[in-house]
Each structure stands twice: as C-alpha cells, then as structure tokens.
Amino acid sequence: MDAKVLVVMGSDSDLPVMKAAADFLRKMEIPYRVHISSAHRAPEKTAKLAGEAEARGVEVIIAAAGGAAHLPGVIAAMTVLPVIGVPIKSDALSGMDALYSIAQMPAGIPVATVALNGAMNAAILAAQIIGLHDGALREKLCAYKAGLALQVEAKDQRLQELGVDAYLQK
C-alpha cells in the first residue's frame, strides 16, 4: 500500500525530532514514508517528492526544517496537498528563524505550522485530516484523546492524595 503521509526533512540531524511523528503514525497504523531532501541542496529531488506525492496516494505531507526552513513552503508551492511544517530548533536563534520561515508563508501557499520540534503534533494533525474520511482512524484518534484525558485525571488524583511537595518529590 502506498503511504498516506509523506514525512520529509531537510537533514538527517532532524531525524531524532521527527521520529516522534513516525512513532505516532505507526501507532495509528497510518502508512507513511520518510525522506531526507533539501529545498536548497536537492531541489530536483524535493520537486519530485512533492510532485509525485498525490499520485502515490499521499494525503498529507509533513515537512521539517531548521535554519532558513524553506522546505515546507517549497513543497507547499508544488502541491495542493495539505502541508504541515515542523520548525526544528537549532543553536542559531533557538529555532525562531525556522518558526518564522514556516509560519509566515505568502498568501496562496499555506503551511500549517506546529511548535518548535512539534513532530508529534504534526503527526496527530495529519491523522486528524485523514480521519475526516476514515472512520476507523477517527475512532483510534478518539480513543487516543480519551487516553490523554485519563492521564490528566490520574495525575490530578495523585496530586490530591500527595499534595504539592510530595508530588514534586516523586
């Protein structure tokens, strides 16, 4: 089966952050592919990935980049598929350059942007987009969100039982 989500990153140094996206997509049983490409160093490869994505069954593209962070916007310019940008935090400017580059797209070329290093949220958003027409996936997402609520309740119960100081010591 072809991938429903294409994950593209500008460098292998982004892979430790982007692993969270791959892990979530795997957990939700969403087929995906992961590639390293670059808007600047491999523009032909990037164009090919973006241009062939829809024909290969891709429904959402997650693109991660640090520094100048042009990869998500370049991909968005080459497809009508939804693109989710993940700005990667770097030593230079603490990743704010990447955040601004991805979030501040010109009119007509939108990129949904998540937080710095927000690979997990990018995967969740991709799953929610696909879940609009996939009832089984939508049910998995509902169960996932219900699980998040249960975690909050368990933490609050523990806080109520232990108090602030004891809770923080454990």
XYZ file of all heavy atoms in Angstrom, residues 46-119:
495
model
N 13.432 17.301 -4.191
C 12.300 17.862 -3.452
C 11.099 18.043 -4.380
O 9.967 17.690 -4.029
C 12.695 19.199 -2.802
O 13.772 18.952 -1.888
C 11.533 19.828 -2.061
N 11.338 18.567 -5.566
C 10.252 18.760 -6.539
C 9.631 17.429 -6.926
O 8.404 17.323 -7.055
C 10.776 19.485 -7.773
N 10.451 16.407 -7.100
C 9.939 15.082 -7.469
C 9.092 14.496 -6.339
O 8.002 13.966 -6.593
C 11.098 14.149 -7.812
C 10.650 12.803 -8.306
C 11.821 11.944 -8.742
C 11.284 10.603 -9.219
N 12.322 9.683 -9.604
N 9.572 14.590 -5.105
C 8.791 14.079 -3.969
C 7.430 14.776 -3.885
O 6.400 14.122 -3.727
C 9.558 14.271 -2.661
C 10.722 13.329 -2.400
C 11.560 13.822 -1.221
C 10.221 11.913 -2.145
N 7.434 16.103 -3.986
C 6.189 16.862 -3.901
C 5.291 16.585 -5.098
O 4.075 16.388 -4.947
C 6.491 18.354 -3.797
N 5.870 16.545 -6.274
C 5.091 16.376 -7.498
C 4.454 15.005 -7.643
O 3.392 14.883 -8.243
N 5.101 13.979 -7.106
C 4.582 12.624 -7.235
C 3.735 12.179 -6.043
O 3.114 11.120 -6.088
C 5.743 11.634 -7.403
C 6.520 11.809 -8.689
C 7.707 10.860 -8.797
O 8.011 10.139 -7.821
O 8.327 10.841 -9.877
N 3.714 12.954 -4.992
C 3.067 12.532 -3.742
C 1.607 12.143 -3.927
O 1.185 11.056 -3.514
C 3.196 13.627 -2.685
N 0.820 13.001 -4.533
C -0.612 12.735 -4.667
C -0.865 11.485 -5.498
O -1.701 10.645 -5.129
C -1.328 13.944 -5.273
C -2.831 13.821 -5.211
C -3.533 15.116 -5.581
O -2.873 16.086 -6.009
O -4.771 15.150 -5.446
N -0.140 11.312 -6.593
C -0.309 10.131 -7.444
C 0.073 8.844 -6.713
O -0.429 7.769 -7.041
C 0.517 10.277 -8.719
N 0.926 8.966 -5.704
C 1.357 7.801 -4.932
C 0.433 7.524 -3.746
O 0.726 6.661 -2.933
C 2.786 7.991 -4.464
C 3.776 8.052 -5.637
C 5.177 8.179 -5.124
N 5.530 6.937 -4.452
C 6.585 6.201 -4.750
N 7.386 6.580 -5.708
N 6.835 5.106 -4.068
N -0.650 8.279 -3.607
C -1.612 8.034 -2.539
C -1.415 8.854 -1.288
O -2.142 8.697 -0.312
N -0.443 9.745 -1.299
C -0.195 10.593 -0.133
C -1.363 11.569 0.021
O -1.838 12.142 -0.954
C 1.149 11.355 -0.283
C 1.314 12.404 0.810
C 2.315 10.368 -0.280
N -1.818 11.737 1.264
C -2.912 12.661 1.561
C -2.439 13.890 2.328
O -3.084 14.939 2.279
C -4.004 11.937 2.348
C -4.634 10.795 1.559
C -5.699 10.047 2.331
O -6.360 10.669 3.201
O -5.874 8.844 2.084
N -1.343 13.748 3.064
C -0.804 14.844 3.870
C 0.720 14.745 3.828
O 1.272 13.645 3.877
C -1.277 14.774 5.342
C -0.712 15.929 6.155
C -2.794 14.754 5.445
N 1.373 15.899 3.782
C 2.827 15.941 3.830
C 3.255 16.673 5.098
O 2.739 17.749 5.408
C 3.412 16.674 2.596
C 3.016 15.930 1.319
C 4.938 16.799 2.713
C 3.380 16.655 0.027
N 4.181 16.061 5.818
C 4.811 16.705 6.968
C 6.231 17.038 6.536
O 6.974 16.159 6.093
C 4.834 15.782 8.200
C 3.416 15.426 8.657
C 5.615 16.438 9.346
C 3.361 14.373 9.747
N 6.597 18.313 6.631
C 7.929 18.741 6.210
C 8.612 19.470 7.359
O 8.059 20.407 7.919
C 7.828 19.643 4.984
N 9.807 19.005 7.698
C 10.555 19.582 8.814
C 11.815 20.236 8.305
O 12.477 19.719 7.401
C 10.907 18.494 9.822
N 12.150 21.373 8.906
C 13.384 22.052 8.523
C 13.801 23.015 9.621
O 12.974 23.558 10.344
C 13.198 22.803 7.209
N 15.098 23.200 9.719
C 15.656 24.186 10.638
C 16.306 25.291 9.823
O 16.247 25.299 8.588
N 16.926 26.215 10.511
C 17.613 27.308 9.815
C 16.647 28.124 8.976
O 15.592 28.542 9.453
N 16.986 28.311 7.721
C 16.128 29.090 6.829
C 14.770 28.431 6.635
O 13.789 29.105 6.345
C 16.810 29.286 5.482
N 14.708 27.127 6.780
C 13.455 26.364 6.827
C 12.542 26.591 5.638
O 11.341 26.768 5.776
C 12.717 26.648 8.137
N 13.082 26.547 4.449
C 12.270 26.743 3.255
C 11.566 25.485 2.778
O 10.642 25.569 1.962
C 13.126 27.315 2.115
C 13.592 28.701 2.385
N 14.904 29.067 2.323
C 12.909 29.811 2.751
C 15.017 30.350 2.630
N 13.822 30.817 2.891
N 11.987 24.306 3.244
C 11.457 23.057 2.717
C 9.927 22.961 2.766
O 9.307 22.654 1.753
C 12.102 21.860 3.434
C 11.718 20.484 2.919
C 12.161 20.282 1.477
C 12.320 19.411 3.815
N 9.276 23.228 3.895
C 7.808 23.121 3.905
C 7.139 24.050 2.892
O 6.209 23.641 2.185
C 7.423 23.485 5.337
C 8.642 23.172 6.139
C 9.797 23.503 5.236
N 7.591 25.273 2.787
C 6.993 26.218 1.851
C 7.235 25.853 0.402
O 6.343 25.991 -0.438
N 8.426 25.378 0.094
C 8.725 24.956 -1.273
C 7.833 23.779 -1.654
O 7.257 23.747 -2.742
C 10.227 24.609 -1.423
C 10.499 23.866 -2.712
C 11.061 25.883 -1.349
N 7.701 22.820 -0.746
C 6.821 21.677 -1.019
C 5.383 22.150 -1.199
O 4.684 21.727 -2.119
C 6.944 20.611 0.076
C 8.319 19.932 -0.025
C 5.818 19.578 -0.019
C 8.619 18.958 1.100
N 4.918 23.047 -0.327
C 3.542 23.554 -0.426
C 3.304 24.264 -1.751
O 2.192 24.232 -2.291
C 3.244 24.487 0.741
N 4.333 24.886 -2.301
C 4.198 25.580 -3.578
C 4.043 24.607 -4.744
O 3.557 24.993 -5.804
C 5.407 26.476 -3.817
N 4.399 23.347 -4.517
C 4.412 22.358 -5.598
C 3.269 21.353 -5.528
O 3.241 20.413 -6.325
C 5.737 21.593 -5.565
C 6.935 22.450 -5.801
S 8.410 21.445 -5.701
C 9.663 22.670 -5.874
N 2.356 21.521 -4.585
C 1.270 20.553 -4.434
C 0.041 21.240 -3.857
O 0.141 22.314 -3.266
C 1.691 19.377 -3.521
O 0.640 18.413 -3.452
C 2.013 19.847 -2.110
N -1.115 20.606 -4.033
C -2.331 21.090 -3.377
C -2.644 20.258 -2.134
O -3.644 20.509 -1.463
C -3.545 21.093 -4.340
C -3.329 22.076 -5.474
C -3.848 19.703 -4.850
N -1.792 19.292 -1.831
C -1.980 18.507 -0.605
C -1.702 19.385 0.613
O -0.882 20.309 0.548
C -1.022 17.315 -0.587
C -1.246 16.238 -1.640
C -0.131 15.206 -1.575
C -2.608 15.573 -1.450
N -2.351 19.090 1.744
C -2.024 19.836 2.957
C -0.577 19.563 3.375
O -0.133 18.414 3.354
C -2.990 19.303 4.014
C -3.920 18.380 3.328
C -3.402 18.104 1.958
N 0.123 20.621 3.738
C 1.499 20.513 4.211
C 1.544 21.032 5.645
O 1.055 22.127 5.928
C 2.473 21.308 3.319
C 3.894 21.269 3.895
C 2.458 20.768 1.897
N 2.144 20.229 6.507
C 2.324 20.609 7.911
C 3.816 20.815 8.119
O 4.613 19.907 7.898
C 1.794 19.523 8.861
C 0.317 19.237 8.574
C 2.009 19.942 10.315
C -0.219 17.986 9.240
N 4.191 22.004 8.546
C 5.595 22.320 8.763
C 5.997 22.129 10.212
O 5.273 22.521 11.127
N 7.154 21.515 10.399
C 7.731 21.340 11.733
C 9.037 22.139 11.782
O 10.036 21.731 11.185
C 8.029 19.856 12.045
C 8.639 19.718 13.443
C 6.780 19.001 11.910
N 9.029 23.277 12.470
C 10.275 24.017 12.618
C 11.186 23.303 13.618
O 10.745 22.925 14.705
C 9.828 25.384 13.137
C 8.470 25.177 13.713
C 7.891 23.946 13.080
N 12.426 23.085 13.215
C 13.375 22.382 14.060
C 14.205 23.391 14.837
O 14.791 24.316 14.259
C 14.293 21.471 13.214
C 13.463 20.452 12.431
C 15.339 20.787 14.089
C 12.711 19.432 13.257
N 14.253 23.190 16.141
C 15.032 24.082 16.999
C 16.516 23.852 16.727
O 16.969 22.719 16.658
C 14.710 23.808 18.469
C 15.339 24.787 19.407
C 14.888 24.559 20.833
C 15.524 25.597 21.744
N 15.158 25.379 23.133
N 17.241 24.935 16.566
C 18.675 24.850 16.305
C 19.407 25.789 17.248
O 18.793 26.577 17.969
C 18.964 25.222 14.854
O 18.584 26.563 14.622
N 20.714 25.700 17.215
C 21.510 26.604 18.046
C 21.368 28.055 17.574
O 21.319 28.968 18.379
C 22.984 26.188 18.007
C 23.211 24.849 18.692
O 22.402 24.473 19.560
O 24.202 24.175 18.345
N 21.280 28.206 16.258
C 21.136 29.557 15.708
C 19.732 30.085 15.991
O 18.749 29.504 15.565
C 21.390 29.542 14.205
N 19.653 31.144 16.725
C 18.395 31.839 17.009
C 17.369 30.956 17.713
O 16.171 31.238 17.690
C 17.802 32.432 15.725
C 18.739 33.372 14.947
C 18.103 33.788 13.625
C 19.080 34.596 15.778
N 17.791 29.860 18.309
C 16.929 28.935 19.053
C 15.755 28.415 18.239
O 14.711 28.072 18.775
C 16.408 29.604 20.339
O 17.482 29.945 21.179
N 15.899 28.409 16.936
C 14.851 27.887 16.064
C 13.787 28.901 15.680
O 12.878 28.581 14.909
N 13.903 30.119 16.189
C 12.884 31.126 15.849
C 12.918 31.455 14.361
O 11.882 31.751 13.764
C 13.075 32.384 16.693
C 12.811 32.161 18.181
S 11.211 31.402 18.546
C 10.125 32.721 18.103
N 14.097 31.393 13.745
C 14.190 31.634 12.309
C 13.380 30.593 11.545
O 12.652 30.912 10.610
C 15.644 31.656 11.844
C 16.446 30.440 12.284
O 16.047 29.750 13.246
O 17.502 30.178 11.668
N 13.472 29.338 11.972
C 12.704 28.271 11.322
C 11.207 28.473 11.535
O 10.412 28.334 10.603
C 13.144 26.912 11.850
N 10.831 28.817 12.751
C 9.414 29.043 13.053
C 8.843 30.157 12.180
O 7.792 29.988 11.551
C 9.230 29.377 14.532
C 7.812 29.719 14.979
C 6.861 28.549 14.758
C 7.800 30.149 16.436
N 9.538 31.273 12.121
C 9.053 32.383 11.304
C 9.026 32.026 9.818
O 8.097 32.388 9.100
C 9.898 33.635 11.518
C 9.773 34.266 12.881
C 10.835 34.952 13.449
C 8.596 34.181 13.616
C 10.733 35.539 14.703
C 8.486 34.752 14.866
C 9.551 35.431 15.403
O 9.447 36.008 16.632
N 10.050 31.329 9.343
C 10.105 30.966 7.925
C 8.940 30.077 7.521
O 8.407 30.206 6.420
C 11.421 30.243 7.617
O 12.506 31.117 7.734
N 8.554 29.172 8.404
C 7.472 28.247 8.074
C 6.102 28.885 8.288
O 5.185 28.705 7.485
C 7.616 26.935 8.876
C 8.923 26.224 8.476
C 6.421 26.015 8.643
C 9.288 25.034 9.343
N 5.956 29.649 9.353
C 4.643 30.231 9.672
C 4.272 31.397 8.763
O 3.107 31.600 8.453
C 4.616 30.691 11.133
N 5.245 32.161 8.310
C 4.983 33.380 7.553
C 4.993 33.128 6.048
O 5.794 33.682 5.314
C 6.015 34.452 7.917
C 5.864 34.982 9.323
C 4.543 35.671 9.541
O 3.704 35.175 10.263
N 4.347 36.812 8.924
N 4.092 32.310 5.584
C 4.013 31.988 4.158
C 3.185 33.051 3.426
O 2.272 33.641 4.000
C 3.375 30.608 3.971
C 4.250 29.470 4.471
S 5.835 29.391 3.644
C 5.297 29.152 1.958
N 3.487 33.246 2.148
C 2.711 34.227 1.386
C 1.297 33.715 1.103
O 1.055 32.507 1.107
C 3.512 34.374 0.087
C 4.279 33.109 -0.040
C 4.562 32.642 1.360
N 0.398 34.630 0.850
C -0.989 34.279 0.533
C -1.020 33.293 -0.634
O -0.312 33.456 -1.614
C -1.779 35.534 0.179
N -1.815 32.262 -0.478
C -1.980 31.268 -1.522
C -1.134 30.026 -1.340
O -1.360 29.018 -2.008
N -0.143 30.062 -0.449
C 0.734 28.915 -0.210
C 0.748 28.634 1.301
O 1.731 28.886 1.995
C 2.182 29.169 -0.719
C 2.189 29.713 -2.132
C 3.018 27.884 -0.609
C 1.663 28.746 -3.186
N -0.356 28.102 1.837
C -0.396 27.871 3.277
C 0.434 26.665 3.705
O 0.535 25.675 2.980
C -1.883 27.615 3.546
C -2.373 27.015 2.271
C -1.600 27.714 1.175
N 1.010 26.778 4.874
C 1.655 25.663 5.563
C 1.150 25.701 7.002
O 1.341 26.696 7.700
C 3.202 25.782 5.541
C 3.832 24.686 6.395
C 3.736 25.716 4.115
N 0.479 24.641 7.410
C 0.077 24.545 8.818
C 1.363 24.360 9.613
O 2.206 23.530 9.260
C -0.853 23.355 9.024
N 1.544 25.140 10.646
C 2.799 25.123 11.383
C 2.555 24.719 12.825
O 1.674 25.264 13.490
C 3.472 26.510 11.332
O 3.541 26.934 9.966
C 4.852 26.482 11.931
N 3.350 23.761 13.298
C 3.280 23.334 14.694
C 4.437 23.965 15.456
O 5.258 24.688 14.887
C 3.290 21.789 14.810
C 2.039 21.190 14.175
C 4.550 21.189 14.208
N 4.518 23.687 16.723
C 5.546 24.271 17.580
C 6.941 23.793 17.198
O 7.106 22.798 16.486
C 5.265 23.901 19.035
N 7.943 24.493 17.685
C 9.314 24.043 17.508
C 9.439 22.590 17.958
O 8.968 22.228 19.047
C 10.278 24.901 18.336
C 10.509 26.327 17.841
C 11.230 27.151 18.888
C 11.281 26.326 16.538
N 10.028 21.758 17.115
C 10.205 20.325 17.384
C 8.876 19.602 17.613
O 8.840 18.567 18.263
C 11.153 20.083 18.562
C 12.576 20.482 18.260
O 12.912 20.833 17.137
N 13.429 20.441 19.259
N 7.793 20.127 17.073
C 6.446 19.587 17.304
C 6.069 18.445 16.382
O 4.943 18.424 15.860
N 6.956 17.499 16.182
C 6.709 16.384 15.260
C 5.486 15.563 15.653
O 4.700 15.153 14.798
C 7.940 15.485 15.184
